[in-house]
Amino acid sequence: MLDRNGVVPLYYQIQRHLLEQIRAGVFKPGESLPSEQEIAEKLGVSRMTGRHALKSLRDLGVTYSIQGKGTFVSAIKLEKDFRQVLSFTEEMQARGMRPRSKVISFAVIPADQEATSALQLSPREKVISLRRIRFANSLPVGIEWSRIPLSFCPDLVEAFDPSGSLYAVLEERYGIRLAIAEEVIVAGLARKEEARLLKTAAKSPVFLFTRVSYTDNGPVEFVKSVYRADRYKIVNRLTRVDRELLGVTR
Ligand code: GLP
């Protein structure tokens, strides 16, 4: 199975092989993968190579590990994974972590100019504003500030326990199904207050996300988030389509 004389690193060949098996359903979500020792013995490679292959799968978000127990296949299917508009709750579950939230504020407020324009609101329209600290297991990872037009979910403040999943309640209670999201990510430094909430030092590196999420009918959520750059990783899966489809000419 392995090409030992080629230029493709062994760990990468093993990673591809395991990926194919996960795709084919040989290893299903929640099931464990062979350990680094088993990989090493079976394929005649070093344990280090086995470890490297397992780590590279984890880095892709395809698997997660539990200390002392092994490596397991993530619940969200590989093919859909990074092209989906995931909620924080789903993203953490896919990475094998427990999502938790601490609410900073949850209220109806007048939309500011930025939210009015992103959400295509009429002047003076109100939004529901939700600010939360998001935790992976018990570690604070990010602060999210979501704004949703009040007209879409007039009783959200009364009906929703904001320590739960916002996307789940939008879908289940209001039938709001997000279809796409546009996200801009820039690098930044944590401000004093953000650093305090994220339990890190002021001016530590962070990712600043601005997201607008849409249903098929238009924008529903405007989000500004600050994520700790030492605890959060952005994984993109890219495909290269036929250049002619894009109208790219030389
Ligand atoms: C992600 C998105 C946010 C969104 C949140 C909802 O973190 N970046 O824009 O508000 O998910 O997550 P949940 O449904 O867990 O509340």
Side-chain angles (χ1 to χ4, degrees):
M1 174 198 111
L2 297 177
D3 173 7
R4 289 168 199 275
N5 303 315
V7 288
V8 183
L10 286 177
Y11 90 88
Y12 186 73
Q13 295 182 43
I14 299 169
Q15 185 228 72
R16 298 324 287 179
H17 177 66
L18 288 170
L19 268 179
E20 270 166 35
Q21 293 194 303
I22 293 170
R23 279 203 187 110
V26 177
F27 300 111
K28 300 196 172 52
E31 286 183 3
S32 64
L33 288 185
S35 65
E36 62 185 54
Q37 190 168 359
E38 285 162 344
I39 293 176
E41 278 165 15
K42 187 154 176 245
L43 300 176
V45 295
S46 69
R47 276 183 74 146
M48 179 107 104
T49 303
R51 191 175 316 150
H52 198 169
L54 290 175
K55 180 177 180 304
S56 68
L57 281 175
R58 268 202 313 276
D59 287 347
L60 286 174
V62 172
T63 59
Y64 60 94
S65 49
I66 300 178
Q67 214 171 359
K69 294 211 166 143
T71 301
F72 300 86
V73 179
S74 294
I76 290 190
K77 288 217 179 59
L78 184 60
E79 300 302 337
K80 291 185 188 161
D81 217 356
F82 309 113
R83 277 180 259 147
Q84 288 242 3
V85 180
L86 293 181
S87 70
F88 183 80
T89 304
E90 291 165 333
E91 209 180 315
M92 288 304 116
Q93 284 165 350
R95 297 180 191 201
M97 292 187 259
R98 202 163 26 85
R100 206 166 66 76
S101 306
K102 189 167 163 202
V103 180
I104 305 171
S105 63
F106 186 30
V108 176
I109 60 166
D112 61 18
Q113 219 176 8
E114 212 184 357
T116 301
S117 128
L119 293 168
Q120 298 167 15
L121 301 175
S122 350
R124 288 184 298 281
E125 247 194 89
K126 291 194 168 156
V127 287
I128 293 172
S129 158
L130 173 59
R131 274 184 207 255
R132 296 183 286 181
I133 310 173
R134 314 294 315 245
F135 297 78
N137 296 333
S138 50
L139 299 175
V141 193
I143 306 166
E144 291 183 335
W145 180 21
S146 296
R147 277 163 291 173
I148 299 166
L150 180 63
S151 57
F152 290 172
C153 34
D155 63 350
L156 185 73
V157 173
E158 296 82 50
F160 172 52
D161 167 8
S163 58
S165 167
L166 177 65
Y167 282 6
V169 76
L170 288 183
E171 184 157 342
E172 285 155 20
R173 187 174 173 93
Y174 304 98
I176 297 174
R177 286 181 143 269
L178 299 177
I180 55 164
E182 266 170 18
E183 200 158 61
V184 176
I185 308 160
V186 296
L189 301 175
R191 296 190 191 148
K192 226 170 147 194
E193 173 67 359
E194 292 161 350
R196 187 179 66 77
L197 296 173
L198 292 173
K199 297 204 171 16
T200 183
K203 302 211 178 119
S204 13
V206 287
F207 294 118
L208 303 169
F209 287 81
T210 305
R211 176 190 276 207
V212 184
S213 317
Y214 300 80
T215 63
D216 291 333
N217 298 318
V220 281
E221 187 201 28
F222 175 55
V223 194
K224 300 198 89 161
S225 317
V226 182
Y227 270 76
R228 280 181 60 154
D230 59 340
R231 294 218 172 126
Y232 193 80
K233 181 165 35 185
I234 298 161
V235 181
N236 289 325
R237 293 183 76 219
L238 310 174
T239 52
R240 186 168 161 88
V241 298
D242 194 332
R243 290 161 66 87
E244 273 174 34
L245 284 178
L246 292 173
V248 178
T249 48
R250 277 172 197 269

